[in-house]
Amino acid sequence: MTQQQKWDPQRYARNAGFVATLGMPVVELLAPQPGERILDLGCGDGVLTQKLTAMGCDVVGVDASADQIEAARERGLDAHVVDCHNLEFDKEFDAVFSNAALHWMKRPAEVIAGVRRALKPQGRFVGEFGGAGNIHQVQRALSAALTRREIDMETLWPWYFPTPEEYQAELQAAGFGVQSIELIPRPTPLPGALTDWLETFAESFLPPIPTEEHANFFQEIQDDAQASLCDEQGQWTVDYVRLRFAAIQESA
Ligand code: BEZ
């Protein structure tokens, strides 16, 4: 059982503002049309939800984090706290869009079934998230730091990084036709150090570690990853691999 990751919207904006900026190619793949009703799955603080709204779409954002939804509502968005494994919408959206969120949802069949129910017939499901091989170097350093403490990483691992073949099979099993699906290596420069990234995204690994050791734990991971992820100017770049897909709801 993994601990729920907590989201602090200000910390997220500071350390992960690039997430929405780099999500624009997924918006282009969605090709939203004015007047379309769109569900933004895992909308976070609503930066991309707001972009879709500005394009003339009628957008609903959902996210499991109450803090992020509050930040999205402060932008004037129609946003709701929802566990995306339990979507209750019924044939009301032209498209479901998701950027950098599906890797936090570890039961894909439940998520995809809810997306299918939420879509009108022929509705589109377009998204991007972490795919197989994502953050490999971070994972390696994390695993080493946990192993030194005799902690099993598997039970704390909060992410789902499938291969295209695995995710395509999930989509097809739920009645989607897959139009495109690909892995895209996207090394991503960070605005700060790896420890900032870990503080923002890797809380799930902290419960077995005494509070006074948390800073050392993240520093140890950063030191281990330095040779592979930090250049001579001190610029950190995380080894992201995106899984980008477009699918159509095909069955009745
Ligand atoms: C990602 O966008 O791939 C990601 C972000 C935070 C933690 C893990 C993966």
Side-chain angles (χ1 to χ4, degrees):
M1 195 50 146
T2 55
Q3 161 177 297
Q4 189 83 37
Q5 167 80 28
K6 290 190 223 73
W7 299 100
D8 167 351
Q10 284 173 346
R11 184 179 66 180
Y12 185 84
R14 202 169 51 246
N15 295 323
F18 61 84
V19 172
T21 314
L22 298 176
M24 283 314 286
V26 201
V27 174
E28 282 161 27
L29 184 61
L30 175 69
Q33 302 302 306
E36 280 193 321
R37 187 156 165 78
I38 295 179
L39 177 66
D40 184 353
L41 197 68
C43 66
D45 60 6
V47 175
L48 284 180
T49 325
Q50 196 166 33
K51 287 219 172 356
L52 294 172
T53 304
M55 294 168 94
C57 302
D58 174 16
V59 193
V60 177
V62 290
D63 200 284
S65 162
D67 291 331
Q68 292 281 62
I69 287 298
E70 197 181 318
R73 285 186 172 170
E74 279 166 16
R75 297 179 194 276
L77 298 168
D78 181 8
H80 305 269
V81 181
V82 169
D83 175 353
C84 297
H85 293 91
N86 297 308
L87 295 173
E88 290 184 348
F89 302 100
D90 187 23
K91 296 190 187 69
E92 58 181 284
F93 293 99
D94 298 294
V96 174
F97 167 82
S98 186
N99 180 54
L102 292 166
H103 50 254
W104 293 100
M105 303 172 202
K106 291 189 75 177
R107 303 191 303 283
E110 292 168 37
V111 175
I112 295 169
V115 169
R116 181 177 172 278
R117 282 192 300 273
L119 284 169
K120 298 174 187 170
Q122 303 296 309
R124 325 195 290 289
F125 182 25
V126 175
E128 182 177 295
F129 63 111
N134 196 35
I135 60 164
H136 174 73
Q137 291 297 338
V138 179
Q139 174 175 353
R140 184 196 52 71
L142 247 169
S143 169
L146 290 167
T147 302
R148 280 192 289 276
R149 292 168 172 78
E150 299 186 347
I151 297 169
D152 176 19
M153 183 166 73
E154 200 65 34
T155 55
L156 303 170
W157 187 253
W159 303 306
Y160 167 63
F161 299 145
T163 63
E165 292 75 20
E166 283 163 351
Y167 205 63
Q168 175 156 350
E170 294 282 359
L171 289 165
Q172 288 172 336
F176 281 95
V178 178
Q179 295 188 308
S180 65
I181 187 160
E182 59 178 333
L183 273 185
I184 305 172
R186 196 200 64 199
T188 301
L190 298 181
L194 185 64
T195 49
D196 299 322
W197 187 95
L198 291 164
E199 276 165 23
T200 308
F201 292 122
E203 270 183 359
S204 312
F205 300 96
L206 295 178
I209 298 171
T211 309
E212 62 277 13
E213 258 195 64
H214 288 179
N216 276 347
F217 174 63
F218 284 159
Q219 185 63 47
E220 215 176 289
I221 295 165
Q222 171 165 298
D223 291 347
D224 188 348
Q226 177 132 13
S228 48
L229 298 180
C230 187
D231 71 15
E232 283 170 5
Q233 285 70 47
Q235 173 65 57
W236 284 89
T237 299
V238 169
D239 50 346
Y240 279 137
V241 178
R242 309 286 83 194
L243 181 58
R244 186 181 296 169
F245 67 92
I248 294 221
Q249 206 257 49
E250 277 188 336
S251 56

